[in-house]
Amino acid sequence: MAAYLGLVCIKEFHQNISTGSAEWMTALPIDKKCQLTYRNYMKPNIVMVDVGKWPIFTLLSPQEIASIRKACVFGTSANEAIYVTHNDEVFVFGLNCSNCLGTGDNQSTIVPKKLEALCGKKINNLSYGSGPHVILSTEDGEVYAWGHNGYSQLGNGTTNQGITPVQVCTNLLIKRVIEVACGSHHSMALSSDGDVYAWGYNNCGQVGSGSTANQPTPRKVSNCLQTKMVVSIACGQTSSMAVIDNGEVYGWGYNGNGQLGLGNNGNQLTPCRVAALHGVCVLQITCGYAHTLALTDEGLLYSWGANTYGQLGTGNKSNQLSPAQIMMEKERVVEIAACHSSHTSAAKTQGGQVYMWGQCRGQSVVLPHLTHFTCTDDVFACFSTPAVMWRLLSVEHEDSLTVAESLKKEFDSPETSDLKFRVDGKYIHVHKAVLKIRCEHFRTMFQSYWNEDMKEVIEIDQFSYPVYRAFLEYLYTDSVDLPPEDAIGLLDLATSYCENRLKKLCQHIIKRGITVENAFSLLSAAVRYDAEDLEEFCFKFCVNHLTEVTQTAAFWQMDGPLLKEFIAKASKCGAFKN
């Protein structure tokens, strides 16, 4: 029974990782075979991933962004993207190298196009190659592929480009695939019963067939995996890795940099066990371009392979032919991240801290560096080259409002307010507590009243309704949305109420909205409200457009002393020289 529970626990752990699930697990070993006796789920830190951190998503509207449930950025320059909406519709956009968008043509597009063939399929796992080619699996266990196919990496028995998503059938129709992985030009699939299938480019034995002949259709990886239950797979550029249910790790393919962790740099045409990890139970494995990371059930992190950019996190740039433990002084690691198209590594600890190392925006970071990020995905968005995603990203949109959003929502709400202002015969509903917290003027005002003398309605007659409403809304939102002419009145209010930040905000609005027609009016207001910076800005604008502004009504309506002062100051600046 213990062995069965161990198998189930580790397998579910890996399925959760591959699908971006929010369930995590700590597996406790009771012997060398890493068998488990019970489940001990740990809740992760809830992370709200902002896909807008990937530049390509800035092409989408806010409405399109809000519709995204899952997404992946891929391609040699991170110029292609695919996303799934809450309605399970699938869209793609970007450069479309090698038909990797699957739209049926080779045209690039900045406008998302729907992939009808995949809508409603419930995609749960996705990977991509360097061509690029794309492989995905659905909740029903079906596998679809499209894109570059020069080495039969689409698994359809040909080398023709895949211009639209087509189901991969050979040897997989009777299987329920739960995970897919891609190297540069080869592909792998893991079935629910623990079998691994591989196909495509095989120059280094990465398909695991025992030869270096390319594999045109999915072939079961057997040899020493024949009787094993594989629970997770990963691919480097030209290498393949697998974890079995007792935590053992196997590798095959290219090993020139030691990325298989076998203690040598000879290629392997069939799976070979990573003996150096004997005695530890690996739960997650992930591959970079030519390096590998492994996470154990005790939260320990091992790395091996290429280290040109410090991607192993060992403090140097020497390749490592066997697994080396890193981050030993840090707290328990719960997630590791790497991508076969980059030399960047990342890890997240139990306390939610995210570390990165390796090639980070062209720099070589040789030791794990603590970031301000809350998830490993952000490391790849901001520092990886290219800025691709290392997994199919599940985007959670928070239903509950933040404090700031809640305050904004309750401004001028009759249902929850306990005070009203009447301005120009119109009511504005507010909350005394908010006003006292946000504004010294109101804090002093309310303290001068005894509770029983506090009015339910306060009359305001020195400011207009638009100005006073904008001021009260500012106290709830920290923002102002007014035309420059009304911002003058708000500047007057901010001066009266000693709201210095609001004064600066008003000056910014006025500067942004200055025109020939209103320049002198704004200059007059700046002088009147002692806004020196704004006064200087308006003065320079008037001098630069002197002929035009002197023909406006505002110029001739300016009071005598101010007009004389303007003319004298402009004369000193040489404004009236021929």
Side-chain angles (χ1 to χ4, degrees):
M1 178 59 72
Y4 172 74
L5 287 175
L7 184 153
V8 173
C9 285
I10 298 177
K11 183 178 176 184
E12 287 192 4
F13 177 91
H14 287 286
Q15 288 177 354
N16 287 340
I17 290 175
S18 67
T19 59
S21 167
E23 282 193 319
W24 288 83
M25 175 188 313
T26 303
L28 304 178
I30 61 173
D31 60 26
K32 295 293 185 180
K33 291 184 178 179
C34 192
Q35 302 299 338
L36 308 183
T37 57
Y38 65 96
R39 295 178 177 181
N40 178 22
Y41 291 98
M42 295 188 303
K43 291 182 179 179
N45 293 312
I46 297 175
V47 177
M48 302 307 297
V49 180
D50 176 15
V51 295
K53 291 181 180 177
W54 280 269
I56 192 170
F57 279 105
T58 60
L59 292 170
L60 303 189
S61 69
Q63 294 76 19
E64 288 169 325
I65 292 290
S67 73
I68 296 175
R69 182 169 60 88
K70 294 181 179 181
C72 190
V73 175
F74 60 97
T76 53
S77 301
N79 281 335
E80 283 91 14
I82 181 172
Y83 66 89
V84 184
T85 70
H86 292 284
N87 296 328
D88 207 28
E89 294 181 321
V90 181
F91 292 88
V92 291
F93 63 104
L95 196 56
N96 203 16
C97 290
S98 302
N99 303 102
C100 65
L101 295 185
T103 54
D105 56 46
N106 59 3
Q107 301 299 310
S108 61
T109 176
I110 61 173
V111 178
K113 290 185 177 181
K114 186 185 293 188
L115 290 186
E116 295 286 357
L118 295 178
C119 292
K121 293 292 185 180
K122 298 181 179 178
I123 298 169
N124 67 355
N125 200 246
L126 182 145
S127 189
Y128 53 87
S130 300
H133 73 287
V134 181
I135 306 287
L136 62 81
S137 63
T138 69
E139 287 186 9
D140 292 333
E142 297 175 341
V143 177
Y144 291 83
W146 68 93
H148 189 265
N149 196 35
Y151 302 94
S152 300
Q153 58 263 50
L154 300 186
N156 58 17
T158 75
T159 55
N160 299 327
Q161 296 272 56
I163 62 175
T164 59
V166 175
Q167 185 175 355
V168 182
C169 298
T170 304
N171 291 329
L172 297 183
L173 277 181
I174 59 173
K175 294 288 184 175
R176 179 177 176 270
V177 172
I178 59 173
E179 186 179 3
V180 292
C182 292
S184 174
H185 298 96
H186 77 288
S187 308
M188 290 207 299
L190 172 64
S191 68
S192 59
D193 55 0
D195 290 336
V196 177
Y197 292 82
W199 60 96
Y201 199 30
N202 195 35
N203 63 325
C204 301
Q206 57 265 45
V207 169
S209 60
S211 75
T212 56
N214 292 348
Q215 179 61 39
T217 56
R219 176 190 181 278
K220 183 178 178 180
V221 181
S222 52
N223 300 95
C224 60
L225 291 184
Q226 182 66 44
T227 59
K228 308 290 187 183
M229 176 77 175
V230 177
V231 294
S232 184
I233 55 176
C235 292
Q237 278 281 293
T238 49
S239 60
S240 304
M241 304 295 297
V243 181
I244 65 174
D245 59 351
N246 67 0
E248 293 177 354
V249 177
Y250 289 79
W252 60 98
Y254 183 68
N255 194 35
N257 299 288
Q259 54 263 59
L260 300 186
L262 304 178
N264 58 58
N265 56 7
N267 295 351
Q268 291 292 321
L269 305 186
T270 58
C272 185
R273 183 185 172 193
V274 182
L277 292 175
H278 176 73
V280 301
C281 176
V282 171
L283 293 179
Q284 184 192 356
I285 197 161
T286 185
C287 297
Y289 188 95
H291 75 287
T292 309
L293 304 177
L295 176 65
T296 75
D297 63 332
E298 295 178 295
L300 305 179
L301 175 54
Y302 291 84
S303 64
W304 61 91
N307 200 26
T308 308
Y309 302 94
Q311 59 264 47
L312 299 186
T314 54
N316 57 55
K317 294 185 179 180
S318 300
N319 290 0
Q320 190 75 32
L321 303 183
S322 298
Q325 188 179 347
I326 63 170
M327 290 183 65
M328 290 178 286
E329 304 302 318
K330 314 299 182 186
E331 63 178 338
R332 183 189 190 101
V333 176
V334 297
E335 182 179 81
I336 53 176
C339 178
H340 75 80
S341 60
S342 76
H343 307 282
T344 305
S345 303
K348 184 176 181 178
T349 68
Q350 191 171 20
Q353 293 180 318
V354 173
Y355 292 82
M356 69 178 186
W357 61 99
Q359 188 181 41
C360 301
R361 285 276 177 156
Q363 297 188 57
S364 296
V365 181
V366 298
L367 284 170
H369 174 76
L370 179 61
T371 71
H372 65 277
F373 299 129
T374 55
C375 64
T376 56
D377 304 281
D378 288 346
V379 170
F380 289 83
C382 300
F383 285 95
S384 176
T385 304
V388 293
M389 291 183 181
W390 69 275
R391 60 179 172 185
L392 178 63
L393 186 65
S394 292
V395 182
E396 296 182 24
H397 296 279
E398 184 60 72
D399 293 330
S400 59
L401 299 177
T402 64
V403 173
E405 291 168 339
S406 296
L407 278 177
K408 182 178 181 179
K409 183 170 177 278
E410 294 305 318
F411 171 67
D412 201 14
S413 170
E415 289 79 14
T416 61
S417 68
D418 56 3
L419 179 66
K420 290 186 288 187
F421 286 92
R422 187 161 61 193
V423 189
D424 296 340
K426 301 176 183 177
Y427 288 103
I428 308 171
H429 300 82
V430 293
H431 306 78
K432 285 181 281 187
V434 174
L435 269 53
K436 286 173 66 176
I437 292 171
R438 294 281 286 139
C439 179
E440 180 64 31
H441 170 81
F442 289 122
R443 187 155 47 246
T444 303
M445 174 195 293
F446 296 154
Q447 286 174 351
S448 67
Y449 286 100
W450 292 102
N451 287 336
E452 58 270 19
D453 295 332
M454 185 68 198
K455 299 177 182 178
E456 291 185 0
V457 179
I458 298 178
E459 296 279 352
I460 300 295
D461 54 17
Q462 64 268 48
F463 301 105
S464 68
Y465 174 80
V467 166
Y468 212 77
R469 179 182 169 81
F471 168 58
L472 294 174
E473 189 170 11
Y474 161 79
L475 298 180
Y476 281 75
T477 64
D478 265 335
S479 61
V480 174
D481 184 18
L482 278 178
E485 292 75 19
D486 284 333
I488 294 174
L490 188 57
L491 177 63
D492 180 21
L493 186 153
T495 303
S496 301
Y497 286 13
C498 299
E499 289 287 334
N500 291 329
R501 183 181 178 278
L502 182 57
K503 282 183 65 175
K504 292 179 181 179
L505 196 56
C506 291
Q507 292 180 47
H508 176 71
I509 293 172
I510 292 169
K511 288 179 182 179
R512 194 174 56 194
I514 193 170
T515 65
V516 168
E517 293 298 324
N518 64 18
F520 270 107
S521 298
L522 300 182
L523 176 62
S524 301
V527 172
R528 187 162 62 251
Y529 302 131
D530 196 27
E532 294 181 3
D533 180 60
L534 178 62
E535 178 184 347
E536 185 64 21
F537 178 85
C538 293
F539 171 78
K540 288 181 178 178
F541 183 91
C542 290
V543 170
N544 290 337
H545 303 272
L546 190 61
T547 301
E548 293 90 343
V549 296
T550 54
Q551 297 174 5
T552 64
F555 176 80
W556 296 106
Q557 292 171 1
M558 186 181 296
D559 60 72
L562 184 59
L563 181 59
K564 290 179 181 178
E565 182 181 343
F566 172 79
I567 293 174
K569 189 175 179 180
S571 179
K572 290 181 181 180
C573 294
F576 302 111
K577 291 182 179 180
N578 292 328

